[in-house]
Amino acid sequence: MKISKAARRIQPSLTRRLFDMAKEYDNVIDFTLGDPDYKTPKKIIESAKRAMDEGKTKYSANAGLPELRSIISDCIYNENKVKYDPQSEIIVTVGAMEALYLTLFCMLDPGDQVIIPAPYWINYVHMVQMCGGVPIIIDSYESNNFIVDINDIKNAITEKTTAIILNSPNNPTGTVYDKNTVLELCETAKKNDIMIVWDECYKSILYDDTEFVSVLDAPDVKSHAVIINSCSKKFSMTGWRIGYAAAPSELVSNMTKIQENLVACAPLPSQYAAIEAFRGDIDTKYMLDGFTKRRNKLVEGINGINKLSCKYPKGTFYAFVNIKRTGLGSEKFAYRLLESQQVAVVPGITYGDCCEGFIRIAYTVDEDKIEEGIRRIRRFIQEL
Ligand code: PLP
């Protein structure tokens, strides 16, 4: 059978590989996936059940239920004071992933370039390639809190540059972009007529009163921005597959056209669940409190282990651990740790060449597992 070059070119991610390998072991501590262990809040589940009982189990409009788009528009207005027309400037998608894919598919011609700061979520690179584009990776470093140097971005811009993908809070580092950087990136994008694809999927998970700065805080940026978000992380709804994009109408109408041909619409019961989630009265503070305790326990534990160090992430539920002093490459470290102590982590190299010498730990498991994971990692380092 013939498999296309495009399909063959995409390799499974190391995250999945480690996750799949972890399943082969009994008694494993799995720190690989960014899938929170909290249950979806009951009220959200009830609203989906009600919708299904009422027969709301069909297709919806391709761009999503008008009521849901209105609520999303209201949420953006309440948070950013920027108005998006629910009918023409918002599309509901199958998770943020499909929003990202549709955005890139509708913007890129073969050979168009997309700037992606590293450390990056590997799906960005794959999606750009799947859409015929060329990812242009710009490295950033721990010494600068993994915030990309704006001059490196400026120097990377060519006449083929179509977009830049920014993710704050960032997976895998937990970095949150500061105001100056965000404003300067927006100015650069506007000046060079580049679209900013702004992935804010983790913006509800912020620690230590960290201020979240959105691209929408920059003046007159709406025509150059695509805002991507979803229910997945905030409401622990990864399996419901609801995301959205807010963008200029010309882009949204094209994304809607492609959506019709790809999935028709996001699953309808999930859209009703999302209406309940975005309505605004779901308490998710207990999740943030839980992540805060886990973060503190994990980072303190890691920093107490010889040869490892880790900065406190400002957002997300990921810790990016520096393993350079062990002398092991990140892949080797991850495989050996899994084999010898049954602890699964993601090798830094997954997130770009500049991330060699790091591993990512997702603290999406309870505190007991975090304590046990730390005990095992300590043992692993002692036995090296
Ligand atoms: N963006 C980032 C940075 C992510 O890490 C993830 C998932 O891990 C997503 C988007 C996808 O979210 P969704 O479940 O809404 O498709």
Side-chain angles (χ1 to χ4, degrees), residues 232-248:
S232 288
K233 314 291 174 175
K234 177 168 184 185
F235 301 105
S236 212
M237 287 176 71
T238 48
W240 297 75
R241 308 311 300 132
I242 293 289
Y244 66 81

Side-chain angles (χ1 to χ4, degrees), residues 33-35 93-100 120-124 127 165-172 199-202 228-233 237-244 316-318 351 360:
L33 283 197
D35 200 353
T93 55
V94 180
M97 287 194 201
E98 198 215 357
L100 284 158
Y120 49 68
W121 185 47
I122 185 66
N123 297 44
Y124 297 148
M127 284 192 206
I165 305 180
L166 297 173
N167 171 219
S168 177
N170 175 270
N171 172 11
D199 179 347
E200 55 179 33
C201 283
Y202 294 93
I228 308 273
N229 201 346
S230 83
C231 294
S232 288
K233 314 291 174 175
M237 287 176 71
T238 48
W240 297 75
R241 308 311 300 132
I242 293 289
Y244 66 81
T316 73
F317 35 61
Y318 304 113
Y351 308 102
R360 189 193 77 173

Side-chain angles (χ1 to χ4, degrees), residues 138-151:
I138 307 294
D139 290 341
S140 68
Y141 304 97
E142 191 182 33
S143 53
N144 197 26
N145 292 320
F146 292 110
I147 291 192
V148 71
D149 185 330
I150 190 85
N151 289 320

Side-chain angles (χ1 to χ4, degrees), residues 341-381:
Q341 298 294 335
Q342 291 78 58
V343 175
V345 299
V346 184
I349 192 71
T350 319
Y351 308 102
D353 290 345
C354 63
C355 305
E356 187 46 282
F358 290 86
I359 53 163
R360 189 193 77 173
I361 294 182
Y363 43 96
T364 44
V365 297
D366 64 36
E367 286 184 63
D368 289 346
K369 288 201 177 115
I370 289 174
E371 275 173 23
E372 176 58 18
I374 288 167
R375 265 194 294 275
R376 294 187 194 185
I377 294 173
R378 181 178 294 109
R379 224 178 293 142
F380 171 68
I381 299 290

Side-chain angles (χ1 to χ4, degrees), residues 294-337:
R294 294 170 182 193
R295 175 195 75 147
N296 295 346
K297 184 164 275 214
L298 180 71
V299 176
E300 274 162 34
I302 290 292
N303 284 330
I305 298 175
N306 195 15
K307 296 188 181 158
L308 300 186
S309 67
C310 178
K311 294 194 175 179
Y312 282 82
K314 295 272 180 212
T316 73
F317 35 61
Y318 304 113
F320 210 48
V321 178
N322 187 323
I323 59 162
K324 288 181 183 169
R325 281 185 296 141
T326 65
L328 294 178
S330 64
E331 257 192 279
K332 199 168 205 177
F333 185 102
Y335 294 136
R336 280 180 61 177
L337 177 62

Side-chain angles (χ1 to χ4, degrees), residues 24 33 38 52 65-66 73 92 94 98 127 144 147 173 189 193 217-219 225 252 256-257 278 282 291 340 376 381:
E24 319 246 308
L33 283 197
Y38 292 109
M52 287 190 276
L65 289 168
S73 164
V92 176
V94 180
E98 198 215 357
M127 284 192 206
N144 197 26
I147 291 192
T173 60
D193 202 13
D217 293 329
V252 168
T256 307
K257 200 173 61 185
F278 285 132
I282 301 288
F291 286 134
S340 73
R376 294 187 194 185
I381 299 290

Side-chain angles (χ1 to χ4, degrees), residues 26 29 58 78 80-81 94 100 162 166 177 183 188 192 201 262-263 271 291 299 303 311 316 321 345 376 380:
D26 290 334
I29 305 282
K58 312 285 183 178
N78 291 340
N80 303 105
K81 299 289 169 278
V94 180
L100 284 158
T162 305
L166 297 173
Y177 274 64
L183 296 187
T188 306
N192 292 278
C201 283
L262 204 61
V263 293
Q271 291 195 53
F291 286 134
V299 176
N303 284 330
K311 294 194 175 179
T316 73
V321 178
V345 299
R376 294 187 194 185
F380 171 68

